[in-house]
Amino acid sequence: VAQDPRITTIVLGEGEHKIDGNLNSYMALEISSAINIVGDKGVPKSEIVVVGGIMFDKGIPGNCHLEHLTLRQAKYHGVAGWSSFTMEDVLVEQCGSCGVLAWGPDVVCRFTNVEVRQCGQSGVYASYVASITLIGAKTTVHHNCTKGEEGEYGLHVAWHRSTLQLVAPLTKEQVATDNGGGGNWGAKYGGDFNQIKTIETAAISSSSAHVGETKSIH
């Protein structure tokens, strides 16, 4: 995809898609250009499994998008973004560190009907002025912080201008349940748990507009 601008989408079929652990120190698939990675809609997402993590590099123009797949057993973070990205109908589970991490002042993320569970540290983490918006009745963050660290939470913000917003009727009480560590939601490094709040609309900056499909690789 990085080499051919006509290709914007990779479609994953049924099976386990294992990420090469020798790629980098994060043992994750490192992405440096706008891309859609989408599971085949004719197959349940439970049968489209990426084993390992995905990392979006800093400074990617446009938006990266994950849809209709399962991410499992990343050594570190399940999905980590230093650029804006979106997810829809994605399950992230059993990761060694955070389930989903967004980091940086220009990082604006929107997750629709995403489930994050059984990760070692925080479930969904917005840090260093990143913004995350959660949407959809199937959104849930549960049974994370399995390492028991007090500074980790189901829903987590760090620094004073990071935000983690839930679009009504979602509430943090509804979405984040049965997380260990410091609990279902919290903040550190000058952040405040009031930065985790319900909003009425799903407004998101144009920097995270969905990248249109023009050509796909199956």
Side-chain angles (χ1 to χ4, degrees), residues 33-99:
S33 61
I35 187 174
N36 303 312
I37 301 177
V38 179
D40 184 342
K41 296 301 179 62
V43 179
K45 74 171 181 284
S46 61
E47 298 177 15
I48 305 171
V49 180
V50 176
V51 181
I54 291 179
M55 180 174 66
F56 299 111
D57 285 343
K58 184 178 179 179
I60 298 175
N63 185 61
C64 298
H65 181 68
L66 305 176
E67 185 171 344
H68 191 67
L69 52 85
T70 297
L71 275 153
R72 179 178 297 158
Q73 295 175 346
K75 183 173 182 180
Y76 296 107
H77 307 308
V79 186
W82 283 263
S83 287
S84 298
F85 67 100
T86 55
M87 296 195 295
E88 182 174 355
D89 189 28
V90 172
L91 168 62
V92 181
E93 63 179 2
Q94 301 166 12
C95 302
S97 296
C98 297

Side-chain angles (χ1 to χ4, degrees), residues 198-209:
T198 295
I199 61 172
E200 293 302 318
T201 60
I204 193 164
S205 80
S206 59
S207 65
S208 282

Side-chain angles (χ1 to χ4, degrees), residues 88-167:
E88 182 174 355
D89 189 28
V90 172
L91 168 62
V92 181
E93 63 179 2
Q94 301 166 12
C95 302
S97 296
C98 297
V100 183
L101 166 68
W103 182 286
D106 298 319
V107 177
V108 180
C109 300
R110 181 178 59 203
F111 307 148
T112 304
N113 292 325
V114 168
E115 179 178 1
V116 183
R117 67 187 185 191
Q118 300 165 0
C119 295
Q121 295 180 321
S122 294
V124 176
Y125 185 8
S127 185
Y128 197 59
V129 203
S131 173
I132 294 175
T133 301
L134 303 179
I135 307 168
K138 296 181 181 178
T139 298
T140 181
V141 180
H142 62 96
H143 294 95
N144 297 290
C145 314
T146 59
K147 293 182 177 179
E149 299 172 12
E150 287 298 315
E152 303 294 331
Y153 307 91
L155 301 175
H156 188 174
V157 294
W159 308 95
H160 70 284
R161 286 168 50 215
S162 302
T163 61
L164 209 166
Q165 303 174 124
L166 304 97
V167 175

